[in-house]
Amino acid sequence: ESKQARKQSEDLEARLLQHPQMEQPNQERTTAASATAAERKEKKPLILTNCTETHFNYPDDVRKEERWPKDAPEYKAGNARINRFKPPKPEIEGDVFDRQRVIVGFNQGIIEKQRCFVLGTGGIGQDVALTLARLGVGRIIMLDCDTYDASNLTRQCLGSINDVGKRKVDAALANIKAHNIRSEIETVHIDALKHWDQVVSIARRCDVIFNGIDLGPMWDYCVCSLAKEVGVPYIAGQSYDWMFNTEFYSGDKSKMCAWCATADTEQKWLKYQFGTHFGLAGDIKYIEQRLADFMAKEENKYAQIDKKCLVEFLMKDKKKFRMGGPSLSTIVDKAFDKCQTDKKSSIELKELVLFLEHLMREVVTSLLPGNISKLKEIEFIPHPKHVETRFVGSWVCPCLAAGVIMVSQFANYLTGRKEDAGDPPCNITFNLGWGQTVEEQGYQQTASMVQQGIFPTSSLENITEPRPRSSTPSKKCCMLCNAAQKLSK
C-alpha cells in the first residue's frame, strides 16, 4: 500500500495508454490496475475510539471466562487453549481498545472514566502519563515546575531533542499527542510547595494521584495524607541505578497507608516515622554543632537561640531541614512556646532536642487529613537537598518499568482478574540487574548466609511473610489513618 506501489500502478496504466497496439490484449490488466488504484484511494483504515459508548454496556459486557463442555466438538478437537475456552464476541472493526476488552474481567468502561493526577513530569511522571494515554483513561492532568534538560532525553519519554530548555509540561503536552487515543490532557506549571492549594483543588476532581515528585519523605507524607482525605488511591514510584520501587495504597480510610508502621503509641510512631527528618533519630550533636556554626557566622545578628535565630537556621540548614515559607514562623512560635514553661525569649543549646520534638509534632499534625487541604503552601516541611540523580545514575529501563507498573497496579485495583482484583501489593521493589524482587534477592542472600553458618535457619522465616496488599487494615497507632477515620465519621 506504499506510495511507490501506487506510483508503479499509475505508471503502468500510463504506458499502456501510450501504446495503442498493446491496448487490446492488455485491456483486462489495465482495467484491474485502475480499479485497484481507485480502491486504495477511497478506502481508509477505520479507527474507532468511542466504541465503549456506542457499542458496549459495562459492566454487563465485561468478558467472562467461559469453558467448552467436555462433549463439545471444540473440546474434543485438541488440547490447545481454544479447545478449552470459548472465544470472545466478534470484533468490531476499527475498535482501538478491542485487545483490552477481550481480557477476562477487564472493564474498559471504568478505565475510560478515570481522571488521573500526575504529580511530576520527570522520568517517572512522563512514563506514567504515556501509559495512561495508551490505556484510554478519561483525563490526564500533569503538574511540574521544571524545565527539560539534555540529560533527561534518555529516560523521560515525552520529550525530544527539540524540547531541551522548554518547560517539562509543555514538552510532555506536545509529545503525548502521538500516543494519546482519547484522553483529555491538561498541564499545570507551578511549584507544588508554594501553590499547594492548587494541588488540593486538582486532587479533589481526580480519581487517583500518581506521585512522581522527588522532594523527600515529608512531601510524600503530604500527598499521601491528601489522598486519604479525598479518598482516592495514592501511587508513588522512584527509580535509580538498576532499581525501581512502586507503592500503591487505596485511599480507603480503614486500609493501610504508606505511613502505617508497627508501634505501640502515637509518640513512638512519630519518632519512628519522622525522627530522622527532624534530627531526632541520629546523633543530635551534629545538629547542635551546625546550629553553633550558624550562630558563629551570624555573631553580630544572633547572640542567643531565639525564635528568629531558629527560623533562619531551619531555612538555611540544607543537610537536614531547608524549611521555609510564610507559615514557618508560626509553627516555630508554637513549638518554641511549648518547649518551655517560664516564657523565656531564648532557649539553651541543651533544649534543642525538646524544641525539635515539639516542632516535629506541630508540622506532622498540621499535615494530617482534615488539615492538609486547608493549607495554601507547604514550604515549611523539611525538604533537604538529596543525593543528585547523577551521583547514583538513572536510565530508561527502570523509569519506564516503574511508570508501567504504577499504572498496572491502578488497573488491577479497578478491574483485575477475579483471583486478585482490587488488591494489588502495596510495595514492589525490583532489581533489574539481578532480575529479582528485593524479597527474592534478600531470601537468596540470607539463604547463602545460613548455608555458611553465619545466620541461623530461623532467619529465613522472617523474610518469607507475604507482603502487605491494599486490603491490609491500617495500623491502630498511625496518626494519619486515625485522622482520616475521624474525618469520615
Side-chain angles (χ1 to χ4, degrees), residues 119 143-145 188-200 213 215 219 222 315 322-327 372 374-381 383:
L119 284 165
L143 182 148
D144 205 299
C145 68
V188 183
H189 181 81
I190 59 170
D191 185 321
L193 293 178
K194 292 180 180 179
H195 302 282
W196 178 252
D197 55 340
Q198 292 189 44
V199 175
V200 173
I213 294 180
L215 284 172
W219 161 260
C222 293
M315 291 174 66
R322 201 170 65 147
M323 303 165 74
S327 302
I372 188 69
K374 298 174 184 176
L375 301 171
K376 290 187 175 182
E377 51 85 20
I378 54 171
E379 290 181 275
F380 61 85
I381 66 170
H383 54 288

Side-chain angles (χ1 to χ4, degrees), residues 259-263 267-277 281:
W259 297 89
C260 280
T262 303
Q267 186 62 31
K268 288 183 180 178
W269 178 84
L270 263 174
K271 287 191 175 182
Y272 177 83
Q273 294 286 20
F274 303 107
T276 303
H277 316 309

Side-chain angles (χ1 to χ4, degrees), residues 294 298 301-302 310-324 328:
F294 165 76
E298 306 281 346
K301 191 174 183 181
Y302 299 116
L310 288 168
V311 168
E312 191 164 349
F313 171 69
L314 292 170
M315 291 174 66
K316 292 185 176 180
D317 186 74
K318 296 181 180 180
K319 288 186 178 181
K320 182 60 65 175
F321 300 108
R322 201 170 65 147
M323 303 165 74
L328 180 59

Side-chain angles (χ1 to χ4, degrees), residues 291-358:
L291 177 57
D293 292 343
F294 165 76
M295 294 180 69
K297 287 182 180 179
E298 306 281 346
E299 58 181 345
N300 296 326
K301 191 174 183 181
Y302 299 116
Q304 56 186 4
I305 308 174
D306 57 16
K307 294 177 182 178
K308 288 185 178 180
C309 174
L310 288 168
V311 168
E312 191 164 349
F313 171 69
L314 292 170
M315 291 174 66
K316 292 185 176 180
D317 186 74
K318 296 181 180 180
K319 288 186 178 181
K320 182 60 65 175
F321 300 108
R322 201 170 65 147
M323 303 165 74
S327 302
L328 180 59
S329 295
T330 303
I331 290 173
V332 168
D333 286 349
K334 291 179 180 179
F336 189 92
D337 292 340
K338 287 181 180 179
C339 76
Q340 54 175 324
T341 56
D342 52 4
K343 302 298 180 182
K344 294 186 296 183
S345 61
S346 63
I347 62 172
E348 302 293 332
L349 195 60
K350 62 183 180 181
E351 296 176 296
L352 183 61
V353 173
L354 185 59
F355 165 76
L356 291 174
E357 286 181 351
H358 285 294

